[in-house]
């Protein structure tokens, strides 16, 4: 799946933004926030945008741990509920923002593969 489609999925499924395509352009806009998501909000590549995703998860009582892998091989993101036998997801990617997005989507039941 292309990164822009993953960005839109994160906006809808994780952030709970209602997106609609504007009839006169290729932009997607959030109903309440007024974000022009297709051009500006890119949590798969922008760490500031990805951090908003982390904050949303933490506000939902999930814990998020981000770590670098050995020898600059990428990043791992673990999302879990503190209680025993709770949600426990680990995702890996070349960048921290992408790993955050993949783990966040998995936490809401959406599994995606990134186009290489």
């Amino acid at each position: 799946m292309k990164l822009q489609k993953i960005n839109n999925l994160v906006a809808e499924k994780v952030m709970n933004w209602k997106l609609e395509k504007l009839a006169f352009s290729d932009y997607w806009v959030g109903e309440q926030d007024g974000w022009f998501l297709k051009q500006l909000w890119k949590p798969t590549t922008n760490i500031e945008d990805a951090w908003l995703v982390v904050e949303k998860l933490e506000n939902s009582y999930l814990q998020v741990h981000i770590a670098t892998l050995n020898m600059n091989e990428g990043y791992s993101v673990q999302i879990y509920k503190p209680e025993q036998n709770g949600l426990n997801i680990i995702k890996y990617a070349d960048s921290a923002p992408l790993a955050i997005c993949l783990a966040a989507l998995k936490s809401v039941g959406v599994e995606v593969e990134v186009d290489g």
Side-chain angles (χ1 to χ4, degrees):
M1 181 176 289
K2 297 213 179 287
L3 294 181
Q4 187 54 53
K5 195 161 189 175
I6 295 171
N7 291 336
N8 291 341
L9 275 174
V10 171
E12 290 180 301
K13 305 296 184 184
V14 178
M15 303 302 287
N16 297 317
W17 295 341
K18 185 173 189 263
L19 303 181
E20 56 186 70
K21 189 170 184 180
L22 299 177
F24 56 86
S25 75
D26 288 333
Y27 290 108
W28 291 82
V29 63
E31 181 180 74
Q32 293 177 329
D33 299 295
W35 290 86
F36 285 93
L37 294 176
K38 192 162 189 176
Q39 297 298 316
L40 300 177
W41 199 74
K42 297 181 180 181
T44 57
T45 57
N46 183 312
I47 193 63
E48 291 176 13
D49 293 341
W51 203 250
L52 292 174
V53 176
V54 171
E55 289 174 355
K56 175 72 172 186
L57 294 169
E58 289 178 341
N59 287 336
S60 299
Y61 304 103
L62 297 173
Q63 291 190 6
V64 180
H65 291 257
I66 303 165
T68 57
L69 301 175
N70 292 336
M71 307 289 288
N72 294 324
E73 292 179 3
Y75 295 82
S76 70
V77 172
Q78 179 183 22
I79 297 174
Y80 65 94
K81 286 189 177 180
E83 61 267 5
Q84 193 174 17
N85 296 324
L87 177 74
N88 188 20
I89 294 166
I90 300 175
K91 285 292 185 177
Y92 304 94
D94 291 338
S95 71
L98 183 55
I100 290 166
C101 289
L102 296 177
L105 285 170
K106 180 69 176 173
S107 77
V108 295
V110 178
E111 184 80 40
V112 298
E113 293 291 325
V114 180
D115 288 346

